[in-house]
Amino acid sequence: MHSNAVSVISDAMPLLLKGLWWTAALSALSIAFATVIGVIVGLMRISGNIVVRGISTVYVNVFRCTPLLVQILFLYFGLPELLNFSWSPEVAGVATLSLNIGAYVGEVVRGGVQAIGRGQTEAGRAIGLSRGLTMRLVVLPQAFRQVIPSYINQCTICVKDSSLLSVIGVAELTMRGESIYSANFQAFPILAAMGALYFVVNYVLTLASRIVERRVSIA
Amino acid sequence: MITVEKLEKTYGGAAPVLKGVDLHVERGEVVCLCGASGSGKSTMLRCINLLETADGGRILLDGKEITGRRSHKEVDRIRQRVGMVFQHFNLFPHMTAAQNIALGPIRLKKTTKAEARKEAYELLAKVGLAGKEESYPRQLSGGQQQRVAIARSLAMHPECILFDEPTSALDPEMVGEVLGVMKLLAAEGMTMIIVTHEMGFARGVADQICFLDQGVIIERGAPNEVLDHPKSERTQVFLSKVLQ
């Protein structure tokens, strides 16, 4: 039984690693887009302009209060039907993950910026720095340091949530694994191997976060 | 150089903080604002630096009104001419002392990084902090941080500096070093408006002391007039408490 499980896993490994590559690539892309979206949305959420604030608030709430699985199905099946276009499951998947994680990153950014005391902004403005420069040079660098742990947390969530893309046919790690054990009926070793691969990726991310955090710590 | 006319300020629906304050400050003059907390001293300073918008009255800088609707650019330019030192220093914690000081000149005055850095070192020497250039704020004592904050303000070559209770957040043994720097600036002819409870300092440095109570200046004049012969009862009571 033991040697059997080992050989099952080693046979499946090349395919699983291919899946892992897709998982990592799609997650990395989604995280990159989500970061850009998150910074913009986070700043929009604290804008003085009520329209800007309103748009960002609606966006964040829509993505926070609906299930990711429904969002994935909606963007892959629903939206193309409505607007009469089609896109690949990979592109639709990255779009959905980016928008979903972006909403959460937006909240992380907003919290980080708001945690920086008003005195910092006032000191920047009192020198004569504009609002934009004060944000860029004084507030954001400090906020950035504060949000690293919650930001990395969102990144690990993104990697894990990418498994849901299997339902629209993205050949990432979960879908590869499922197709393997539905053919060889070796669910236990395959699922264990899949779990281990996800774990390794996310654990490395967590360790990296700790190192970055220590390196840029100012407190 | 600074004229405040009938300045009024109310926060939200609360009682007014400033109820028509007048103040005139000549170039090179040192004015101390005194009074109990909540009397409107800090609000007045913040209005002059446009950190708060006045609800009524106006403020003139060299005869030109700075209150009223202004573009962001104009406001930034006015702030470059009027420095501000805060009670809690508000140094940027992610920058060294020298970086804190050089930031404004590099970004706003087209000074080269090398020049700004050189001036930062000179200013730190001036406030008695030679050798602390590369220290981060957290590595400095409160008194040292406040002196860096004064140097940061000086780096913009302001025409006037506003001090908002600069020694109130300091341990007693550090108050002297900060007041010493401020005395030096006064001797150099810097125009200063200082909110302070340090009556000894005010007596020694101020050309004019204004005593605020409930949003109005109830007493003003040379230090010896206000401190030794206060006319209003409120001033007498306040001074008897502060001077104990």
Side-chain angles (χ1 to χ4, degrees):
Chain A
M1 156 80 197
H2 260 292
S3 62
N4 183 35
V6 170
S7 73
V8 166
I9 291 174
S10 66
D11 286 349
M13 213 23 113
L15 274 179
L16 288 180
L17 285 177
K18 233 181 230 175
L20 181 67
W21 190 88
W22 274 101
T23 291
L26 296 182
S27 301
L29 267 178
S30 302
I31 288 168
F33 289 128
T35 306
V36 175
I37 293 171
V39 171
I40 295 169
V41 168
L43 294 180
M44 285 171 76
R45 290 268 282 156
I46 45 178
S47 159
N49 185 319
I50 188 163
V51 177
V52 170
R53 212 167 54 230
I55 291 171
S56 56
T57 306
V58 168
Y59 161 72
V60 167
N61 283 326
V62 164
F63 278 88
R64 239 190 347 193
C65 301
T66 54
L68 176 57
L69 185 54
V70 172
Q71 293 166 18
I72 292 169
L73 296 171
F74 185 82
L75 260 81
Y76 185 57
F77 296 116
L79 210 56
E81 186 190 289
L82 178 74
L83 302 174
N84 202 15
F85 74 103
S86 71
W87 49 3
S88 74
E90 289 79 15
V91 175
V94 168
T96 316
L97 273 182
S98 303
L99 287 168
N100 178 278
I101 302 293
Y104 288 96
V105 173
E107 288 300 276
V108 168
V109 169
R110 179 180 65 83
V113 168
Q114 285 180 333
I116 305 302
R118 216 175 97 141
Q120 289 292 310
T121 311
E122 287 184 350
R125 302 305 305 278
I127 297 174
L129 296 174
S130 64
R131 270 172 67 108
L133 273 180
T134 303
M135 187 53 80
R136 193 153 65 82
L137 302 173
V138 175
V139 177
L140 283 182
Q142 294 180 58
F144 166 72
R145 289 164 165 85
Q146 286 214 342
V147 304
I148 290 170
S150 13
Y151 171 72
I152 296 289
N153 188 35
Q154 288 305 324
C155 295
T156 62
I157 289 174
C158 182
V159 174
K160 290 181 286 185
D161 283 358
S162 69
S163 63
L164 286 172
L165 299 182
S166 59
V167 300
I168 56 169
V170 176
E172 43 66 67
L173 181 53
T174 301
M175 182 172 176
R176 300 268 183 182
E178 275 184 322
S179 63
I180 294 170
Y181 70 69
S182 59
N184 66 8
F185 303 109
Q186 297 285 346
F188 173 74
I190 298 297
L191 281 166
M194 286 159 60
L197 289 174
Y198 277 115
F199 179 85
V200 168
V201 171
N202 277 332
Y203 193 63
V204 168
L205 259 180
T206 310
L207 288 181
S209 131
R210 245 180 259 166
I211 292 168
V212 176
E213 221 180 308
R214 214 171 303 145
R215 178 127 348 137
V216 300
S217 149
I218 46 170
Chain B
M1 82 167 281
I2 292 177
T3 306
V4 176
E5 291 175 354
K6 300 196 170 49
L7 185 66
E8 289 173 25
K9 176 71 188 172
T10 306
Y11 290 107
V17 181
L18 294 174
K19 302 181 226 170
V21 175
D22 296 294
L23 180 70
H24 184 74
V25 183
E26 291 292 339
R27 197 169 283 278
E29 201 178 4
V30 177
V31 176
C32 286
L33 302 179
C34 308
S37 56
S39 58
K41 310 164 305 234
S42 295
T43 304
M44 188 166 165
L45 277 198
R46 295 169 61 82
C47 286
I48 295 173
N49 204 20
L50 306 180
L51 284 171
E52 306 286 353
T53 36
D55 296 326
R58 50 184 206 153
I59 299 168
L60 305 144
L61 186 59
D62 277 339
K64 278 193 193 149
E65 185 175 353
I66 59 169
T67 35
R69 283 188 75 84
R70 302 272 154 228
S71 72
H72 291 310
K73 279 218 165 109
E74 273 178 287
V75 170
D76 295 341
R77 231 172 288 136
I78 291 161
R79 292 211 180 105
Q80 290 176 35
R81 297 172 57 193
V82 181
M84 177 108 179
V85 173
F86 299 88
Q87 180 176 1
H88 296 285
F89 335 132
N90 297 354
L91 291 179
F92 308 131
H94 58 302
M95 297 182 193
T96 63
Q99 285 169 339
N100 262 279
I101 297 166
L103 181 72
I106 290 172
R107 291 289 169 166
L108 302 169
K109 287 196 176 282
K110 299 191 171 70
T111 316
T112 65
K113 280 191 179 173
E115 279 172 59
R117 197 178 148 84
K118 184 166 164 271
E119 202 190 352
Y121 273 60
E122 287 165 6
L123 285 170
L124 281 169
K126 179 174 177 175
V127 298
L129 288 173
K132 297 289 184 190
E133 296 85 358
E134 303 307 319
S135 298
Y136 283 89
R138 66 171 187 278
Q139 298 166 321
L140 301 172
S141 72
Q144 291 171 330
Q145 288 190 48
Q146 192 59 297
R147 286 184 282 156
V148 174
I150 294 174
R152 177 172 70 178
S153 169
L154 288 172
M156 294 303 291
H157 300 284
E159 296 162 42
C160 163
I161 304 184
L162 313 174
F163 292 82
D164 189 4
E165 302 202 30
T167 58
S168 299
L170 298 176
D171 289 339
E173 75 267 24
M174 292 168 185
V175 169
E177 62 196 51
V178 171
L179 294 182
V181 170
M182 292 166 66
K183 274 181 199 154
L184 179 75
L185 296 182
E188 286 178 353
M190 176 61 79
T191 311
M192 306 199 276
I193 305 180
I194 306 165
V195 171
T196 186
H197 297 296
E198 298 288 337
M199 293 303 152
F201 168 78
R203 183 190 292 275
V205 173
D207 297 300
Q208 192 188 155
I209 291 181
C210 297
F211 187 81
L212 272 93
D213 186 46
Q214 294 176 5
V216 287
I217 295 180
I218 54 169
E219 188 129 6
R220 74 175 88 207
N224 56 358
E225 292 172 36
V226 175
L227 298 179
D228 300 334
H229 310 288
K231 292 182 205 90
S232 88
E233 198 186 327
R234 278 291 299 134
T235 317
Q236 290 163 12
V237 171
F238 179 78
L239 287 175
S240 70
K241 282 182 190 156
V242 176
L243 295 177
Q244 268 171 6

